[in-house]
Amino acid sequence: MLVLARKSGESIMIAGNIEVVVVSVEGDNVKLGIRAPKEVEIFRKEIYLNIQASNKEAAQGETSLNRLADLLRGNAKGGQ
């Protein structure tokens, strides 16, 4: 992990097109501003992890539905 010290109003650049600016520091709270292209998705980590978990569940559910559909097709073919 890279650790940098920045003061309010200072920033860092990521990949040449993403700028993270320290807007303010108040006690334990740091407010950041992020300038990035519109196509770059930016999420708080806890939200990102929830999205990933939901996507994983959906993918597993889709696999289960596909298996069920295959079983039903197999039973329908066998019963004809």
Side-chain angles (χ1 to χ4, degrees), residues 45-71:
K45 185 175 181 180
E46 62 274 17
I47 300 298
Y48 177 80
L49 293 175
N50 285 338
I51 291 168
Q52 294 300 309
S54 295
N55 288 345
K56 186 175 181 181
E57 286 179 29
Q60 289 173 346
E62 186 174 307
T63 301
S64 297
L65 289 175
N66 288 339
R67 286 186 196 161
L68 178 59
D70 288 341
L71 285 171

Side-chain angles (χ1 to χ4, degrees), residues 7-78:
K7 295 177 183 176
S8 184
E10 295 181 335
S11 62
I12 63 168
M13 295 297 297
I14 301 172
N17 64 346
I18 300 171
E19 182 179 14
V20 180
V21 181
V22 178
V23 176
S24 67
V25 179
E26 299 171 9
D28 289 344
N29 291 320
V30 178
K31 290 185 181 180
L32 301 174
I34 302 168
R35 289 187 188 105
K38 289 183 180 182
E39 63 270 10
V40 174
E41 294 181 329
I42 302 170
F43 300 101
R44 294 188 330 243
K45 185 175 181 180
E46 62 274 17
I47 300 298
Y48 177 80
L49 293 175
N50 285 338
I51 291 168
Q52 294 300 309
S54 295
N55 288 345
K56 186 175 181 181
E57 286 179 29
Q60 289 173 346
E62 186 174 307
T63 301
S64 297
L65 289 175
N66 288 339
R67 286 186 196 161
L68 178 59
D70 288 341
L71 285 171
L72 291 173
R73 278 190 228 113
N75 287 340
K77 288 179 185 176

